[in-house]
Amino acid sequence: MKRNKYVIANWKMNITKSPHKVIDGVSKHLLKTKKNSCRVVLCPPFTHLATLSTKYKNLDFGGQDCHQHNEGAFTGSVSAYMLKSIGCNYVIIGHSERRNYQKESNHELRMKLIVAEENKLKIVFCIGEKLNQLKIRDKILKKQLSALPSSFNTKNLIIAYEPVWAIGSGKTPSVDEIDRAHIKIRNILNQKYKRKSTNISILYGGSVNSKNSSNILGIKNVDGALVGGASLDKKEFCKIIDSSSR
Ligand code: PGA
C-alpha cells in the first residue's frame, strides 16, 4: 500500500514580515521541481489564510486549529466550516501547544475531529509524549488516539507523532525510536480501523530541519513531516520538501 507523503508547515503564531515571499518561494519551487512526490501543505496564522489560499491555487492550506462547533457565540474562535469556506482543505487538531495552553481534553478533541470530518477537511491529528512520559509513551499514544471516533472516514485522517520534548528544542529521538513509535501508532490504528487504517499517513514532527530531514523522512514507517520553526524560512523549507522525494 503506497500512502501519501506530506510535508506540512506549521507557522504557529509567528510574525513573518513577508508571508507572501515565503509562500511565493515555495510555490515557485514546487512548480519548478515538479518531481516532488509529497503533498505540501501550509498552515499560516488565520489572519493570512484567506488571502494566501485565494492567491496560491497550486498550494494546499490548512488551519492550525478549529472550534468544535460550526458557528455560534464563541468569541475569538474559527470553525471548520469557516476554514472550508475560504478554500482550506486541511486542519491541525490536538497540537501539544493547544493541549497544554488551552487545556484541550480528549473529549473536546473528539468533537473537533467530528466537526472537521463533517466539513470534509483533511485532519492532521497530533499526538506525542512529554519528556516525563517517555517510559509510558505507548500508553500515552494509545490514550491520545482514543479520541478518534471508531467510525471515521480514515481517508481524511493524518496522524502527526510529535514528542513534546522535541518540539522547538533542537532535539529529536533517534531514527530507531521514531520508527518504533510509528510502528506502535500503526498497530493501534490497525486494531481500531482494521483494513481502513492502511491509508492513514503517519508524519513525524519536532525539530525537523534541512539537516535531519533526509534521515527522518527516509525511515520506512514515516510518511512525512510536520515542520514548525524551519518552515518559516523559504530555503530551509524547500530543502526539507526536496529531501522527501529522495
Ligand atoms: P518545530 O515544531 O519544528 O519548531 O519543532 C513542530 C511543531 O510544533 O509542529
Side-chain angles (χ1 to χ4, degrees):
M1 162 88 206
K2 213 164 162 16
R3 274 182 283 275
N4 288 332
K5 272 206 160 192
Y6 295 90
V7 174
I8 303 182
N10 174 13
W11 282 11
K12 312 194 180 186
M13 202 178 72
N14 288 300
I15 297 174
T16 19
K17 286 204 191 84
S18 43
H20 284 267
K21 242 188 184 166
V22 180
I23 307 267
D24 216 53
V26 174
S27 167
K28 285 191 180 128
H29 183 75
L30 288 177
L31 289 172
K32 203 169 66 197
T33 46
K34 275 200 181 110
K35 65 175 172 111
N36 275 304
S37 53
C38 72
R39 294 175 184 211
V40 176
V41 183
L42 297 134
C43 303
F46 288 133
T47 46
H48 296 318
L49 267 180
T51 15
L52 292 176
S53 59
T54 310
K55 186 163 175 199
Y56 296 98
K57 295 285 183 209
N58 70 323
L59 295 175
D60 275 307
F61 288 89
Q64 297 172 15
D65 176 52
C66 68
H67 194 266
Q68 58 270 37
H69 293 289
N70 272 328
E71 61 173 335
F74 301 105
T75 304
S77 298
V78 171
S79 72
Y81 176 85
M82 290 167 176
L83 289 175
K84 192 73 189 180
S85 67
I86 58 159
C88 279
N89 288 320
Y90 290 79
V91 64
I92 297 173
I93 292 181
H95 191 281
S96 65
E97 284 147 17
R98 294 202 59 91
R99 289 178 190 262
N100 188 18
Y101 301 125
Q102 270 73 34
K103 305 280 172 261
E104 292 187 344
S105 64
N106 251 14
H107 173 69
E108 193 178 344
L109 291 173
R110 179 186 286 244
M111 289 173 74
K112 289 185 182 214
L113 289 160
I114 293 170
V115 83
E117 201 236 312
E118 281 169 1
N119 282 283
K120 305 206 167 18
L121 288 170
K122 280 196 182 288
I123 297 159
V124 184
F125 185 53
C126 301
I127 55 170
E129 79 286 354
K130 294 180 185 162
L131 191 56
N132 64 359
Q133 297 169 328
L134 258 178
K135 285 199 178 117
I136 49 161
R137 184 196 62 201
D138 290 359
K139 210 172 125 196
I140 298 293
L141 297 179
K142 197 166 181 197
K143 182 148 187 267
Q144 292 174 334
L145 286 169
S146 73
L148 289 166
S150 36
S151 160
F152 204 67
N153 182 2
T154 52
K155 282 195 189 120
N156 283 343
L157 182 62
I158 298 161
I159 303 293
Y161 168 59
E162 298 204 302
V164 181
W165 52 274
I167 295 177
S169 66
K171 294 182 189 139
T172 55
S174 69
V175 161
D176 282 351
E177 282 167 50
I178 296 175
D179 202 34
R180 268 200 294 275
H182 279 232
I183 290 170
K184 180 71 200 172
I185 295 166
R186 175 74 53 209
N187 286 341
I188 298 170
L189 294 171
N190 284 349
Q191 270 173 22
K192 190 162 188 141
Y193 296 118
K194 308 285 182 290
R195 269 184 32 233
K196 280 199 215 144
S197 70
T198 45
N199 52 26
I200 305 174
S201 300
I202 306 175
L203 321 184
Y204 168 80
S207 293
V208 174
N209 57 41
S210 65
K211 293 200 174 73
N212 60 25
S213 56
S214 291
N215 273 347
I216 293 174
L217 293 167
I219 302 171
K220 186 167 165 258
N221 295 294
V222 171
D223 305 310
L226 179 56
V227 188
S231 70
L232 295 160
D233 182 296
K234 181 184 71 183
K235 279 196 190 142
E236 182 75 359
F237 190 57
C238 289
K239 280 188 196 164
I240 297 172
I241 296 172
D242 289 346
S243 60
S244 79
S245 310
R246 274 180 219 130

